[in-house]
Amino acid sequence: MRLAVCSSKGGVGKTTTAANLAVALAARGRVLAVDTDPQDSLGRAFGVVAKGHDDSLARCLEDPTADPRAVIRHEVAPGLDLLPAHPALEAVAVQLASAGGLLTSVRRTLRPLLAAYDHVILDTRGDLGGLTLAALCASDTVLTVFTSDPGSALGVVRVAGFVEQQRAFENTSAVLLGAACTAWDKAGRAARQVLEALEGTGLPLMQTRVPVSRRVPSSTLDKRPIILSAPTSPAAVAFRALADEVLTAAERTQP
Ligand SMILES: Nc1ncnc2c1ncn2[C@@H]1O[C@H](COP(=O)(O)OP(=O)(O)OP(=O)(O)O)[C@@H](O)[C@H]1O
Ligand SMILES: [Mg+2]
């Protein structure tokens, strides 16, 4: 599975979800986590910070002759390797877009790596711009995420439309597996309204909802996703269940 975690909105839990899914899936096979967001938060979730352009995805995208194996960080968690981003990715993406190479850049970079991994998890930036599209083109499945904030429901609808549009353009064959709630406030009125609004769209919703937990932001400070830092916490249990649900949904997409 090559899974892109996407949203049209920022700050809705993409990186937290990508990091925890990557750890959970790495318990069953080799996993590569790829950060395609110039904010480089996915690496930071594991305490990995690229020093510059040269030891990050930015270099691989910019230079088709670069060997992506040289910038991979090995075993950031058991069974999990990571290809980190760097803020230089921003300028590289602008340059590639004008040269016509952005769309296929992530797919091209990952191609020589795929045989070594059972799953690739791609974190994306909180928009539907060129870098997110490049991540989508490198993926076969997409997970979108939302919170208990009403604005994030609209984001789910936008991602679903974006994936369909890019499939129609033949830029990707990626399938939207579903939308997952990453910060479920079970007592909140807004949370219930978000869920009702999304149920009304008919879009696929993941059954697992990750509860709001103060331990999630503190796991970022610990540089260890919550599955590692507090494995028995309700949020960690939910992320493991979400990983199972994602795998089952991805298997259903196989011909
Ligand atoms: N279940 C949760 N409970 C409490 N806080 C959470 C939860 N999930 C995520 N957060 C917090 O919400 C914030 C945003 O999460 P995250 O960085 O994963 O979002 P994002 O969509 O990747 O953001 P960006 O668009 O900036 O990349 C972080 O501070 C994170 O710790
Ligand atoms: Mg993020």
Side-chain angles (χ1 to χ4, degrees):
M1 173 177 71
R2 285 169 283 126
L3 175 81
V5 182
C6 297
S7 71
S8 65
K9 205 168 155 25
V12 290
K14 292 177 296 297
T15 301
T16 306
T17 302
N20 282 287
L21 286 184
V23 173
L25 293 170
R28 301 132 175 239
R30 293 294 309 171
V31 177
L32 176 67
V34 182
D35 192 356
T36 68
D37 183 352
Q39 283 192 94
D40 66 356
S41 310
L42 185 64
R44 288 173 192 275
F46 295 91
V48 171
V49 181
K51 285 196 208 67
H53 160 276
D54 281 355
D55 64 344
S56 78
L57 180 68
R59 162 123 173 98
C60 307
L61 297 198
E62 183 179 53
D63 178 3
T65 67
D67 184 353
R69 291 174 195 89
V71 296
I72 286 178
R73 311 303 200 270
H74 294 278
E75 293 288 309
V76 297
L80 176 62
D81 293 351
L82 182 121
L83 186 42
H86 182 270
L89 201 49
E90 187 79 64
V92 166
V94 171
Q95 210 178 19
L96 274 171
S98 76
L102 182 58
L103 183 72
T104 53
S105 58
V106 178
R107 188 168 68 202
R108 169 178 54 70
T109 297
L110 297 185
R111 192 175 297 125
L113 306 173
L114 294 179
Y117 296 98
D118 298 298
H119 304 297
V120 180
I121 307 295
L122 298 98
D123 189 22
T124 65
R125 72 194 300 177
D127 65 17
L128 301 178
L131 269 171
T132 303
L133 180 53
L136 188 64
C137 292
S139 304
D140 54 19
T141 47
V142 178
L143 178 72
T144 187
V145 293
F146 62 97
T147 63
S148 299
D149 165 37
S152 69
L154 184 58
V156 169
V157 175
R158 288 190 173 141
V159 170
F162 180 67
V163 173
E164 274 320 302
Q165 184 186 46
Q166 298 307 320
R167 284 169 58 86
F169 289 159
E170 300 184 2
N171 283 332
T172 185
S173 54
V175 174
L176 178 66
L177 295 183
C181 185
T182 55
W184 176 243
D185 169 20
K186 70 173 179 206
R189 196 161 62 93
R192 281 200 306 278
Q193 284 183 2
V194 168
L195 209 63
E196 276 167 25
L198 285 174
E199 279 166 357
T201 64
L203 291 170
L205 298 185
M206 306 311 269
Q207 305 234 310
T208 311
R209 296 173 204 154
V210 180
V212 172
S213 160
R214 261 174 289 159
R215 282 178 152 171
V216 173
S218 45
S219 70
T220 311
L221 288 177
D222 294 343
K223 300 173 183 160
R224 291 171 81 222
I226 192 161
I227 288 194
L228 295 172
S229 60
T232 58
S233 64
V237 170
F239 275 124
R240 281 195 296 272
L242 183 61
D244 289 343
E245 209 183 337
V246 162
L247 269 187
T248 304
E251 276 158 18
R252 266 193 241 119
T253 68
Q254 299 302 315

